[in-house]
Amino acid sequence: MCYHYTIAQCPFGDAKVELYFSTAKKIPKKIYTFVHNPFREKRPAKVKQHINQPIMGIKFRLIVMNFLQYAIWGSWLISLGAYLGGGLQFTGLQIGSFFATMGIASLFMPALMGIIADRWIPAQKLLGICQLISAGFLVAAASQTAYGPLYTCMLMSVMFYMPTIALSNSVAYNALDLAKLDAVKHFPPIRVWGTVGFIAAMWFVDLVQIGGVQIKLTYWQLYVSAILSLILAIYSFTLPGCPVSHARKSQSWIDTLGLRAFALFKEKRMAIFFIFSMLLGVSLQITNGFANPFITSFSAIPEYANTFGVQHANALISLSQVSETLCILLIPFALKHFGIKRVMLIAMLAWVLRFGLFGLGNPGSGVWMFVLSMIVYGVAFDFFNISGSLFVNKETDLAIRSSAQGLFVIMTNGIGATVGTLSAQMVVNHFVDFGSDAPQVAGWSSAWFVFAGYALVVAVLFALIFRYKHTPEEI
């Protein structure tokens, strides 16, 4: 421990070292004694190497974990619809049911696996087990062409993949704690590589061909995802161990079943936070499901039919992920200077802009509004998802941390996303006539304005109801 603090904060010079330790109240006295050891001058280089390697090593290992975690998802999430609709000729309703599996899985699996991680199986090992099972179902899904068997395999794969999002967060937070690194400062630059992995996998299946056909149009995308999942499964067992609670003092049935995280709803502030997380989670999947068909619908208008946005809607939408990558790096600054309430409020207002700009823009002279909407997405997603996860980590006890992360995923990607997907479908169907050959721009704009209005109402209510005293010194 003394090595870590020495190299992280001061050089090996007497004056500077004395000045540093005279102001660092939290440094143990034994570290002060070590730094002033007269023999230290004979081996500063060796000490520095010994200190830096564990810290840089664990950060690199967490980067690898996050890269693989989201590359698995990026291998099929964006392109699966093209394979199902083009290759297998599934209907729109059938295709939609595959994307609904993520919401269904998030309703209970993250919490269940979080409980198991808190009480019985260390999070890093459970992460590996879930990834291994998920990979097996992906392999099984790749060989299916009928709707029933393929849907069942994908549902089971997603059931074991969705909990790994919260589990990987818990593993990262624990590893940073062990290294005495501030999660708020060090986690976002690590997490950003998850988005890089997502983009890399998305472009890989888009650019690489097998038999003259893009991977994204075939079942091979599922094999790519399965291979990455298998690699992460093996890799997870080498990550730093996470604690489990073996306490037997309490006889409460809540403790016995590992449901203590749900007791957070007894705390007014946490209950309000989780409820608004659910309400904001409604917005998460709307543009994922409808941005592409909205932009391509402009092909019915000769003026826009040959524009870049219409011809390459996926490339245009991918700017959202690029923005997400960059905005993650802003989180430490934002949390320290604004606090969780203002950061969440900024995310909510960003969703208003995200939807509103879609309603106002077009692929021609108004394409700048589409581009700005993609840029705003990074703030809307990261300032909510990543900052919310960090807030849960900070506000919950170590014994229920994995369960609390699972609960956060349930409220956002489970209940919120499921309700949002179903509600958005009804709104779009009300305003847009998919059976008509006539342009539906006005109908789409009305739908986007409804979504923007919803996000604005949530933002105003959150500003009025949620109470949180921000203390920058604690960040």
Tab-separated table of all heavy atoms in Angstrom, residues 206-256:
chain	number	residue	atom	x	y	z
A	206	ASP	N	-19.860	-6.062	-40.655
A	206	ASP	CA	-20.332	-5.302	-41.817
A	206	ASP	C	-19.350	-5.388	-42.989
A	206	ASP	O	-19.762	-5.461	-44.150
A	206	ASP	CB	-20.537	-3.837	-41.424
A	206	ASP	CG	-21.100	-3.002	-42.568
A	206	ASP	OD1	-22.308	-3.124	-42.817
A	206	ASP	OD2	-20.333	-2.260	-43.208
A	207	LEU	N	-18.047	-5.394	-42.692
A	207	LEU	CA	-17.036	-5.332	-43.746
A	207	LEU	C	-16.521	-6.700	-44.193
A	207	LEU	O	-16.138	-6.865	-45.349
A	207	LEU	CB	-15.853	-4.482	-43.269
A	207	LEU	CG	-16.164	-3.010	-42.940
A	207	LEU	CD1	-14.925	-2.323	-42.378
A	207	LEU	CD2	-16.668	-2.278	-44.172
A	208	VAL	N	-16.484	-7.671	-43.285
A	208	VAL	CA	-15.939	-8.986	-43.625
A	208	VAL	C	-17.000	-9.836	-44.308
A	208	VAL	O	-18.168	-9.841	-43.902
A	208	VAL	CB	-15.415	-9.697	-42.361
A	208	VAL	CG1	-14.920	-11.101	-42.697
A	208	VAL	CG2	-14.299	-8.880	-41.730
A	209	GLN	N	-16.584	-10.548	-45.348
A	209	GLN	CA	-17.503	-11.399	-46.106
A	209	GLN	C	-17.073	-12.860	-46.022
A	209	GLN	O	-15.881	-13.167	-45.951
A	209	GLN	CB	-17.556	-10.971	-47.575
A	209	GLN	CG	-18.056	-9.564	-47.802
A	209	GLN	CD	-18.152	-9.211	-49.271
A	209	GLN	OE1	-17.780	-9.993	-50.151
A	209	GLN	NE2	-18.661	-8.011	-49.565
A	210	ILE	N	-18.039	-13.740	-46.032
A	210	ILE	CA	-17.818	-15.178	-46.102
A	210	ILE	C	-18.624	-15.707	-47.277
A	210	ILE	O	-19.844	-15.560	-47.311
A	210	ILE	CB	-18.238	-15.897	-44.802
A	210	ILE	CG1	-17.355	-15.450	-43.639
A	210	ILE	CG2	-18.161	-17.412	-44.969
A	210	ILE	CD1	-17.687	-16.099	-42.322
A	211	GLY	N	-17.921	-16.276	-48.248
A	211	GLY	CA	-18.605	-16.743	-49.446
A	211	GLY	C	-19.192	-15.616	-50.270
A	211	GLY	O	-20.200	-15.803	-50.961
A	212	GLY	N	-18.549	-14.442	-50.191
A	212	GLY	CA	-19.021	-13.300	-50.961
A	212	GLY	C	-20.196	-12.570	-50.352
A	212	GLY	O	-20.736	-11.644	-50.957
A	213	VAL	N	-20.598	-12.964	-49.140
A	213	VAL	CA	-21.737	-12.340	-48.470
A	213	VAL	C	-21.267	-11.738	-47.146
A	213	VAL	O	-20.505	-12.357	-46.407
A	213	VAL	CB	-22.863	-13.357	-48.202
A	213	VAL	CG1	-24.050	-12.679	-47.533
A	213	VAL	CG2	-23.287	-14.023	-49.498
A	214	GLN	N	-21.714	-10.535	-46.842
A	214	GLN	CA	-21.357	-9.887	-45.578
A	214	GLN	C	-21.825	-10.731	-44.397
A	214	GLN	O	-22.929	-11.284	-44.407
A	214	GLN	CB	-21.990	-8.499	-45.486
A	214	GLN	CG	-21.447	-7.482	-46.477
A	214	GLN	CD	-22.268	-6.209	-46.459
A	214	GLN	OE1	-23.456	-6.217	-46.801
A	214	GLN	NE2	-21.647	-5.101	-46.062
A	215	ILE	N	-20.990	-10.814	-43.373
A	215	ILE	CA	-21.334	-11.595	-42.187
A	215	ILE	C	-22.637	-11.112	-41.572
A	215	ILE	O	-23.427	-11.906	-41.059
A	215	ILE	CB	-20.193	-11.534	-41.155
A	215	ILE	CG1	-18.973	-12.318	-41.660
A	215	ILE	CG2	-20.641	-12.090	-39.807
A	215	ILE	CD1	-17.792	-12.285	-40.709
A	216	LYS	N	-22.872	-9.806	-41.629
A	216	LYS	CA	-24.067	-9.257	-40.994
A	216	LYS	C	-25.359	-9.762	-41.624
A	216	LYS	O	-26.427	-9.627	-41.038
A	216	LYS	CB	-24.043	-7.729	-41.043
A	216	LYS	CG	-24.256	-7.135	-42.430
A	216	LYS	CD	-24.312	-5.618	-42.368
A	216	LYS	CE	-24.617	-5.013	-43.728
A	216	LYS	NZ	-24.719	-3.535	-43.679
A	217	LEU	N	-25.275	-10.338	-42.811
A	217	LEU	CA	-26.462	-10.845	-43.489
A	217	LEU	C	-26.626	-12.350	-43.325
A	217	LEU	O	-27.528	-12.944	-43.914
A	217	LEU	CB	-26.406	-10.497	-44.987
A	217	LEU	CG	-26.326	-9.001	-45.322
A	217	LEU	CD1	-26.195	-8.808	-46.823
A	217	LEU	CD2	-27.551	-8.262	-44.792
A	218	THR	N	-25.765	-12.968	-42.515
A	218	THR	CA	-25.792	-14.425	-42.348
A	218	THR	C	-25.775	-14.808	-40.867
A	218	THR	O	-25.608	-13.967	-39.986
A	218	THR	CB	-24.586	-15.083	-43.038
A	218	THR	OG1	-23.393	-14.785	-42.283
A	218	THR	CG2	-24.418	-14.564	-44.465
A	219	TYR	N	-25.902	-16.097	-40.627
A	219	TYR	CA	-25.858	-16.623	-39.255
A	219	TYR	C	-24.455	-16.581	-38.666
A	219	TYR	O	-24.269	-16.801	-37.455
A	219	TYR	CB	-26.371	-18.071	-39.226
A	219	TYR	CG	-25.603	-19.015	-40.129
A	219	TYR	CD1	-24.407	-19.594	-39.731
A	219	TYR	CD2	-26.080	-19.321	-41.409
A	219	TYR	CE1	-23.700	-20.444	-40.551
A	219	TYR	CE2	-25.398	-20.180	-42.245
A	219	TYR	CZ	-24.201	-20.737	-41.816
A	219	TYR	OH	-23.498	-21.585	-42.640
A	220	TRP	N	-23.448	-16.272	-39.478
A	220	TRP	CA	-22.078	-16.241	-38.979
A	220	TRP	C	-21.880	-15.158	-37.919
A	220	TRP	O	-20.959	-15.236	-37.107
A	220	TRP	CB	-21.102	-16.029	-40.140
A	220	TRP	CG	-20.763	-17.315	-40.850
A	220	TRP	CD1	-21.282	-17.777	-42.020
A	220	TRP	CD2	-19.833	-18.303	-40.402
A	220	TRP	NE1	-20.734	-18.996	-42.349
A	220	TRP	CE2	-19.839	-19.349	-41.370
A	220	TRP	CE3	-18.992	-18.428	-39.303
A	220	TRP	CZ2	-19.046	-20.476	-41.242
A	220	TRP	CZ3	-18.198	-19.562	-39.177
A	220	TRP	CH2	-18.228	-20.568	-40.138
A	221	GLN	N	-22.720	-14.156	-37.913
A	221	GLN	CA	-22.612	-13.125	-36.888
A	221	GLN	C	-22.814	-13.715	-35.494
A	221	GLN	O	-22.210	-13.262	-34.512
A	221	GLN	CB	-23.626	-12.013	-37.138
A	221	GLN	CG	-25.080	-12.457	-37.120
A	221	GLN	CD	-26.025	-11.351	-37.536
A	221	GLN	OE1	-26.189	-10.370	-36.813
A	221	GLN	NE2	-26.620	-11.480	-38.706
A	222	LEU	N	-23.648	-14.758	-35.405
A	222	LEU	CA	-23.875	-15.419	-34.118
A	222	LEU	C	-22.652	-16.234	-33.699
A	222	LEU	O	-22.332	-16.322	-32.513
A	222	LEU	CB	-25.109	-16.309	-34.202
A	222	LEU	CG	-26.418	-15.586	-34.567
A	222	LEU	CD1	-27.573	-16.573	-34.633
A	222	LEU	CD2	-26.710	-14.472	-33.567
A	223	TYR	N	-21.968	-16.823	-34.678
A	223	TYR	CA	-20.737	-17.546	-34.366
A	223	TYR	C	-19.646	-16.578	-33.897
A	223	TYR	O	-18.893	-16.892	-32.967
A	223	TYR	CB	-20.246	-18.310	-35.597
A	223	TYR	CG	-20.996	-19.601	-35.862
A	223	TYR	CD1	-21.501	-19.887	-37.125
A	223	TYR	CD2	-21.186	-20.543	-34.852
A	223	TYR	CE1	-22.186	-21.068	-37.388
A	223	TYR	CE2	-21.862	-21.721	-35.089
A	223	TYR	CZ	-22.368	-21.984	-36.355
A	223	TYR	OH	-23.049	-23.153	-36.592
A	224	VAL	N	-19.550	-15.415	-34.525
A	224	VAL	CA	-18.581	-14.407	-34.099
A	224	VAL	C	-18.843	-13.996	-32.649
A	224	VAL	O	-17.925	-13.942	-31.821
A	224	VAL	CB	-18.643	-13.163	-35.013
A	224	VAL	CG1	-17.771	-12.033	-34.451
A	224	VAL	CG2	-18.196	-13.509	-36.428
A	225	SER	N	-20.102	-13.771	-32.333
A	225	SER	CA	-20.475	-13.408	-30.973
A	225	SER	C	-20.162	-14.532	-29.995
A	225	SER	O	-19.672	-14.289	-28.884
A	225	SER	CB	-21.966	-13.060	-30.925
A	225	SER	OG	-22.335	-12.629	-29.636
A	226	ALA	N	-20.435	-15.767	-30.395
A	226	ALA	CA	-20.183	-16.919	-29.527
A	226	ALA	C	-18.697	-17.080	-29.238
A	226	ALA	O	-18.302	-17.397	-28.109
A	226	ALA	CB	-20.742	-18.186	-30.172
A	227	ILE	N	-17.858	-16.879	-30.249
A	227	ILE	CA	-16.407	-16.999	-30.051
A	227	ILE	C	-15.914	-15.953	-29.060
A	227	ILE	O	-15.134	-16.241	-28.144
A	227	ILE	CB	-15.674	-16.856	-31.402
A	227	ILE	CG1	-15.974	-18.070	-32.293
A	227	ILE	CG2	-14.164	-16.724	-31.189
A	227	ILE	CD1	-15.463	-17.921	-33.708
A	228	LEU	N	-16.372	-14.717	-29.225
A	228	LEU	CA	-15.983	-13.652	-28.298
A	228	LEU	C	-16.480	-13.943	-26.885
A	228	LEU	O	-15.782	-13.686	-25.900
A	228	LEU	CB	-16.541	-12.315	-28.786
A	228	LEU	CG	-15.949	-11.772	-30.097
A	228	LEU	CD1	-16.731	-10.550	-30.565
A	228	LEU	CD2	-14.478	-11.409	-29.910
A	229	SER	N	-17.685	-14.478	-26.783
A	229	SER	CA	-18.251	-14.816	-25.481
A	229	SER	C	-17.445	-15.917	-24.804
A	229	SER	O	-17.225	-15.879	-23.583
A	229	SER	CB	-19.712	-15.261	-25.649
A	229	SER	OG	-20.343	-15.421	-24.399
A	230	LEU	N	-16.999	-16.889	-25.576
A	230	LEU	CA	-16.179	-17.973	-25.026
A	230	LEU	C	-14.837	-17.441	-24.520
A	230	LEU	O	-14.360	-17.836	-23.448
A	230	LEU	CB	-15.959	-19.046	-26.089
A	230	LEU	CG	-15.098	-20.248	-25.667
A	230	LEU	CD1	-15.721	-20.980	-24.486
A	230	LEU	CD2	-14.901	-21.200	-26.843
A	231	ILE	N	-14.242	-16.531	-25.282
A	231	ILE	CA	-12.970	-15.929	-24.861
A	231	ILE	C	-13.141	-15.181	-23.543
A	231	ILE	O	-12.332	-15.324	-22.618
A	231	ILE	CB	-12.439	-14.982	-25.953
A	231	ILE	CG1	-12.064	-15.770	-27.208
A	231	ILE	CG2	-11.234	-14.195	-25.439
A	231	ILE	CD1	-11.682	-14.887	-28.386
A	232	LEU	N	-14.206	-14.388	-23.434
A	232	LEU	CA	-14.445	-13.642	-22.193
A	232	LEU	C	-14.756	-14.588	-21.038
A	232	LEU	O	-14.366	-14.325	-19.891
A	232	LEU	CB	-15.597	-12.649	-22.379
A	232	LEU	CG	-15.952	-11.797	-21.154
A	232	LEU	CD1	-14.726	-11.064	-20.628
A	232	LEU	CD2	-17.053	-10.806	-21.483
A	233	ALA	N	-15.450	-15.686	-21.321
A	233	ALA	CA	-15.767	-16.665	-20.271
A	233	ALA	C	-14.489	-17.197	-19.635
A	233	ALA	O	-14.369	-17.281	-18.400
A	233	ALA	CB	-16.590	-17.807	-20.856
A	234	ILE	N	-13.531	-17.545	-20.464
A	234	ILE	CA	-12.253	-18.060	-19.955
A	234	ILE	C	-11.473	-16.958	-19.254
A	234	ILE	O	-10.914	-17.144	-18.168
A	234	ILE	CB	-11.424	-18.654	-21.114
A	234	ILE	CG1	-12.173	-19.841	-21.738
A	234	ILE	CG2	-10.046	-19.086	-20.632
A	234	ILE	CD1	-11.537	-20.377	-23.001
A	235	TYR	N	-11.456	-15.788	-19.865
A	235	TYR	CA	-10.705	-14.654	-19.329
A	235	TYR	C	-11.233	-14.217	-17.961
A	235	TYR	O	-10.460	-13.795	-17.091
A	235	TYR	CB	-10.781	-13.499	-20.325
A	235	TYR	CG	-10.009	-12.270	-19.937
A	235	TYR	CD1	-8.615	-12.261	-19.977
A	235	TYR	CD2	-10.662	-11.111	-19.537
A	235	TYR	CE1	-7.904	-11.120	-19.640
A	235	TYR	CE2	-9.961	-9.968	-19.188
A	235	TYR	CZ	-8.584	-9.980	-19.241
A	235	TYR	OH	-7.880	-8.856	-18.889
A	236	SER	N	-12.546	-14.321	-17.761
A	236	SER	CA	-13.164	-13.856	-16.511
A	236	SER	C	-12.613	-14.558	-15.287
A	236	SER	O	-12.512	-13.966	-14.202
A	236	SER	CB	-14.683	-14.048	-16.578
A	236	SER	OG	-15.250	-13.284	-17.613
A	237	PHE	N	-12.245	-15.826	-15.439
A	237	PHE	CA	-11.757	-16.594	-14.292
A	237	PHE	C	-10.367	-16.149	-13.852
A	237	PHE	O	-9.887	-16.584	-12.803
A	237	PHE	CB	-11.756	-18.083	-14.623
A	237	PHE	CG	-13.127	-18.690	-14.617
A	237	PHE	CD1	-13.884	-18.739	-15.769
A	237	PHE	CD2	-13.677	-19.206	-13.448
A	237	PHE	CE1	-15.154	-19.297	-15.776
A	237	PHE	CE2	-14.949	-19.762	-13.431
A	237	PHE	CZ	-15.694	-19.806	-14.601
A	238	THR	N	-9.695	-15.301	-14.633
A	238	THR	CA	-8.373	-14.800	-14.256
A	238	THR	C	-8.430	-13.425	-13.613
A	238	THR	O	-7.403	-12.914	-13.184
A	238	THR	CB	-7.468	-14.729	-15.505
A	238	THR	OG1	-7.904	-13.653	-16.359
A	238	THR	CG2	-7.501	-16.031	-16.298
A	239	LEU	N	-9.624	-12.823	-13.547
A	239	LEU	CA	-9.763	-11.472	-13.009
A	239	LEU	C	-9.723	-11.488	-11.481
A	239	LEU	O	-9.963	-12.537	-10.858
A	239	LEU	CB	-11.072	-10.859	-13.505
A	239	LEU	CG	-11.132	-10.601	-15.013
A	239	LEU	CD1	-12.554	-10.219	-15.433
A	239	LEU	CD2	-10.152	-9.503	-15.410
A	240	PRO	N	-9.427	-10.354	-10.848
A	240	PRO	CA	-9.366	-10.287	-9.375
A	240	PRO	C	-10.657	-10.773	-8.729
A	240	PRO	O	-11.756	-10.503	-9.220
A	240	PRO	CB	-9.151	-8.793	-9.109
A	240	PRO	CG	-8.471	-8.296	-10.336
A	240	PRO	CD	-9.073	-9.060	-11.471
A	241	GLY	N	-10.511	-11.493	-7.632
A	241	GLY	CA	-11.660	-12.072	-6.952
A	241	GLY	C	-12.556	-11.040	-6.303
A	241	GLY	O	-12.084	-10.059	-5.730
A	242	CYS	N	-13.855	-11.267	-6.393
A	242	CYS	CA	-14.845	-10.402	-5.752
A	242	CYS	C	-15.343	-11.070	-4.471
A	242	CYS	O	-15.482	-12.295	-4.421
A	242	CYS	CB	-16.022	-10.142	-6.693
A	242	CYS	SG	-15.576	-9.253	-8.196
A	243	PRO	N	-15.643	-10.287	-3.445
A	243	PRO	CA	-16.086	-10.870	-2.175
A	243	PRO	C	-17.519	-11.386	-2.248
A	243	PRO	O	-18.334	-10.899	-3.035
A	243	PRO	CB	-15.979	-9.695	-1.203
A	243	PRO	CG	-16.203	-8.493	-2.065
A	243	PRO	CD	-15.558	-8.811	-3.385
A	244	VAL	N	-17.808	-12.389	-1.439
A	244	VAL	CA	-19.177	-12.864	-1.250
A	244	VAL	C	-19.484	-12.796	0.233
A	244	VAL	O	-18.593	-12.917	1.072
A	244	VAL	CB	-19.369	-14.316	-1.758
A	244	VAL	CG1	-19.223	-14.384	-3.259
A	244	VAL	CG2	-18.383	-15.257	-1.088
A	245	SER	N	-20.750	-12.582	0.554
A	245	SER	CA	-21.153	-12.445	1.950
A	245	SER	C	-21.628	-13.787	2.484
A	245	SER	O	-22.613	-14.355	2.010
A	245	SER	CB	-22.284	-11.410	2.080
A	245	SER	OG	-22.738	-11.335	3.406
A	246	HIS	N	-20.891	-14.317	3.485
A	246	HIS	CA	-21.261	-15.594	4.104
A	246	HIS	C	-21.852	-15.398	5.498
A	246	HIS	O	-21.933	-16.329	6.287
A	246	HIS	CB	-20.036	-16.501	4.214
A	246	HIS	CG	-19.464	-16.883	2.879
A	246	HIS	ND1	-20.124	-17.705	1.992
A	246	HIS	CD2	-18.300	-16.526	2.283
A	246	HIS	CE1	-19.391	-17.865	0.903
A	246	HIS	NE2	-18.275	-17.156	1.052
A	247	ALA	N	-22.254	-14.161	5.784
A	247	ALA	CA	-22.789	-13.860	7.117
A	247	ALA	C	-24.035	-14.671	7.411
A	247	ALA	O	-24.894	-14.849	6.564
A	247	ALA	CB	-23.097	-12.371	7.225
A	248	ARG	N	-24.147	-15.165	8.617
A	248	ARG	CA	-25.293	-15.980	9.021
A	248	ARG	C	-26.024	-15.386	10.222
A	248	ARG	O	-26.877	-16.006	10.809
A	248	ARG	CB	-24.828	-17.400	9.382
A	248	ARG	CG	-24.240	-18.150	8.200
A	248	ARG	CD	-25.325	-18.638	7.278
A	248	ARG	NE	-24.791	-19.439	6.203
A	248	ARG	CZ	-24.649	-19.036	4.962
A	248	ARG	NH1	-24.974	-17.794	4.650
A	248	ARG	NH2	-24.160	-19.829	4.033
A	249	LYS	N	-25.657	-14.140	10.603
A	249	LYS	CA	-26.226	-13.556	11.819
A	249	LYS	C	-27.705	-13.256	11.663
A	249	LYS	O	-28.496	-13.523	12.549
A	249	LYS	CB	-25.460	-12.281	12.178
A	249	LYS	CG	-24.001	-12.532	12.549
A	249	LYS	CD	-23.314	-11.230	12.905
A	249	LYS	CE	-21.854	-11.462	13.280
A	249	LYS	NZ	-21.166	-10.209	13.640
A	250	SER	N	-28.080	-12.669	10.563
A	250	SER	CA	-29.475	-12.280	10.380
A	250	SER	C	-30.323	-13.464	9.970
A	250	SER	O	-29.930	-14.274	9.127
A	250	SER	CB	-29.572	-11.176	9.320
A	250	SER	OG	-30.923	-10.862	9.072
A	251	GLN	N	-31.503	-13.552	10.524
A	251	GLN	CA	-32.439	-14.623	10.189
A	251	GLN	C	-33.563	-14.122	9.298
A	251	GLN	O	-34.500	-14.852	9.037
A	251	GLN	CB	-33.029	-15.212	11.491
A	251	GLN	CG	-31.987	-15.814	12.426
A	251	GLN	CD	-31.235	-16.950	11.787
A	251	GLN	OE1	-31.829	-17.801	11.123
A	251	GLN	NE2	-29.930	-16.985	11.986
A	252	SER	N	-33.445	-12.875	8.862
A	252	SER	CA	-34.475	-12.317	7.995
A	252	SER	C	-34.565	-13.102	6.692
A	252	SER	O	-33.544	-13.471	6.115
A	252	SER	CB	-34.166	-10.845	7.706
A	252	SER	OG	-34.983	-10.354	6.674
A	253	TRP	N	-35.804	-13.343	6.240
A	253	TRP	CA	-35.966	-14.076	4.982
A	253	TRP	C	-35.429	-13.259	3.816
A	253	TRP	O	-34.996	-13.816	2.803
A	253	TRP	CB	-37.438	-14.412	4.750
A	253	TRP	CG	-38.332	-13.218	4.528
A	253	TRP	CD1	-38.984	-12.483	5.450
A	253	TRP	CD2	-38.644	-12.620	3.251
A	253	TRP	NE1	-39.684	-11.467	4.872
A	253	TRP	CE2	-39.506	-11.524	3.523
A	253	TRP	CE3	-38.295	-12.889	1.937
A	253	TRP	CZ2	-40.005	-10.716	2.508
A	253	TRP	CZ3	-38.793	-12.081	0.929
A	253	TRP	CH2	-39.643	-11.010	1.214
A	254	ILE	N	-35.413	-11.931	3.971
A	254	ILE	CA	-34.847	-11.081	2.922
A	254	ILE	C	-33.353	-11.358	2.779
A	254	ILE	O	-32.828	-11.501	1.671
A	254	ILE	CB	-35.077	-9.594	3.248
A	254	ILE	CG1	-36.574	-9.269	3.169
A	254	ILE	CG2	-34.288	-8.698	2.297
A	254	ILE	CD1	-36.903	-7.827	3.490
A	255	ASP	N	-32.654	-11.465	3.923
A	255	ASP	CA	-31.226	-11.772	3.883
A	255	ASP	C	-30.987	-13.195	3.410
A	255	ASP	O	-30.031	-13.475	2.688
A	255	ASP	CB	-30.601	-11.564	5.260
A	255	ASP	CG	-30.561	-10.100	5.657
A	255	ASP	OD1	-30.210	-9.275	4.792
A	255	ASP	OD2	-30.900	-9.787	6.805
A	256	THR	N	-31.834	-14.109	3.852
A	256	THR	CA	-31.671	-15.503	3.464
A	256	THR	C	-31.757	-15.681	1.957
A	256	THR	O	-30.998	-16.444	1.349
A	256	THR	CB	-32.748	-16.376	4.141
A	256	THR	OG1	-32.641	-16.222	5.557
A	256	THR	CG2	-32.564	-17.839	3.772
